[in-house]
Amino acid sequence: MTNKKLNYPAIAKETAILTGAVAIIAAAVYFFLVPSHTSVSSISGLGIVLSNFVPLPLSAITMVLNTVLLIIGFFTCGREFGAKTVYTSVMLPVFLRLFERLFPDFGSMTDSQELDVLCYILVVSVGLSILFNRNASSGGLDIVAKIMNKYLHMELGKAMSLSGMCVALSAALVYDKKTVVLSILGTYFNGIVLDHFIFDNSIKRRVCIITEKEEALRQFIINDLHSGATMYEAIGAYNFEKHNEIITIVDKSEYQKLMNFINREDPKAFVTIYNVSSMHYQPKR
């Protein structure tokens, strides 16, 4: 039996990316969520509420909550919680503690509770989208959602929304009605913005083209875009003329190159475009 060699440069790169993403999330929490006093859909938000009852800094409360949830997750969901989840769950309170030491008693940057919530949503979505696109998570409510998914047979999206709303409503224990409403609205819009950051990055375009420069287009797709294509025979309903329709799926940068080529070589080409959110295929070797 041979031992599989570890790719240390790849591990170091992955660790650096995860660390950067967690740092962004921690900055969003400390510089925007904490001054707003809202509890927007996160364990850190729940920690902000609990800090009014427990004489511990936010970093310590977040560490305790994440540790408890990780232990529960390991016992209830087994190995679904990999090294990445453990790493990010531990690093988040570490960064929070670092910010607490470097910027003690930090106030609002915007002097507006509403703007603080908005800035938090935008900044934290960047960090979370990096984690999700690296097949990682920040722990916390993700673990709660997976437990609800397994034992209550609830969809992960709905489980995340429900757990997030429960955290948002916890603001009612401490803060006024305005803060509670902002927490709920922030949780709702946080999901919308996060979907935008995650799914818009993975969306591809399915481009269907009928052109007189068929061979030139085929060569461009294969040799310049290094992509694939499918060709179908299409018959026009008006005069029954036969054409070949070329269909290819491209990302954003490839789409711009493809459209530039079509506009240059055959401006009269018939083109239809669809958004594709996911694909399943066997890549060529």
Side-chain angles (χ1 to χ4, degrees), residues 130-278:
I130 294 172
L131 290 183
F132 289 149
N133 286 321
R134 308 299 295 191
N135 196 28
S137 74
S138 59
L141 292 187
D142 300 343
I143 299 174
V144 175
K146 287 185 178 181
I147 294 172
M148 293 171 70
N149 170 256
K150 181 172 182 178
Y151 291 98
L152 301 179
H153 307 291
M154 186 180 295
E155 293 179 8
L156 275 175
K158 291 181 180 178
M160 280 292 292
S161 298
L162 180 60
S163 56
M165 282 299 176
C166 289
V167 170
L169 289 171
S170 69
L173 298 173
V174 181
Y175 302 115
D176 57 18
K177 294 178 182 178
K178 178 185 175 182
T179 302
V180 175
V181 171
L182 276 175
S183 298
I184 294 171
L185 290 177
T187 297
Y188 175 73
F189 286 113
N190 186 43
I192 293 176
V193 175
L194 187 56
D195 282 346
H196 168 77
F197 274 99
I198 294 173
F199 294 114
D200 276 17
N201 286 333
S202 61
I203 282 178
K204 295 182 182 293
R205 288 177 171 85
R206 182 177 186 263
V207 186
C208 307
I209 311 139
I210 296 177
T211 175
E212 294 180 357
K213 301 294 182 69
E214 176 187 309
E215 180 58 25
L217 176 61
R218 188 183 71 84
Q219 292 291 339
F220 177 79
I221 292 172
I222 293 173
N223 298 322
D224 291 74
L225 297 184
H226 304 290
S227 187
T230 304
M231 300 176 68
Y232 296 95
E233 185 178 68
I235 302 175
Y238 183 71
N239 52 15
F240 296 99
E241 285 187 9
K242 292 184 178 181
H243 306 274
N244 280 329
E245 182 181 41
I246 300 177
I247 299 175
T248 185
I249 296 177
V250 291
D251 60 24
K252 288 183 179 179
S253 62
E254 293 168 342
Y255 171 74
Q256 292 298 331
K257 294 177 183 176
L258 177 62
M259 295 308 296
N260 288 338
F261 176 85
I262 294 171
N263 291 331
R264 183 176 67 249
E265 298 295 326
D266 186 8
K268 295 182 179 180
F270 180 75
V271 183
T272 53
I273 302 153
Y274 309 86
N275 283 335
V276 177
S277 59
S278 64

Side-chain angles (χ1 to χ4, degrees), residues 42-90:
S42 67
I43 283 298
S44 300
L46 180 59
I48 292 172
V49 174
L50 292 178
S51 64
N52 291 274
F53 303 100
V54 181
L56 290 173
L58 177 61
S59 56
I61 296 173
T62 304
M63 176 67 84
V64 171
L65 290 174
N66 273 339
T67 301
V68 171
L69 287 173
L70 279 172
I71 293 172
I72 294 173
F74 274 115
F75 279 108
T76 57
C77 298
R79 296 184 178 180
E80 289 182 28
F81 304 95
K84 290 182 180 180
T85 301
V86 175
Y87 178 74
T88 55
S89 296
V90 171

Side-chain angles (χ1 to χ4, degrees), residues 108-125:
S108 173
M109 292 172 102
T110 65
D111 294 323
S112 169
Q113 192 178 29
E114 294 84 355
L115 287 177
D116 281 337
V117 173
L118 178 60
C119 291
Y120 166 76
I121 291 171
L122 292 174
V123 176
V124 81
S125 294

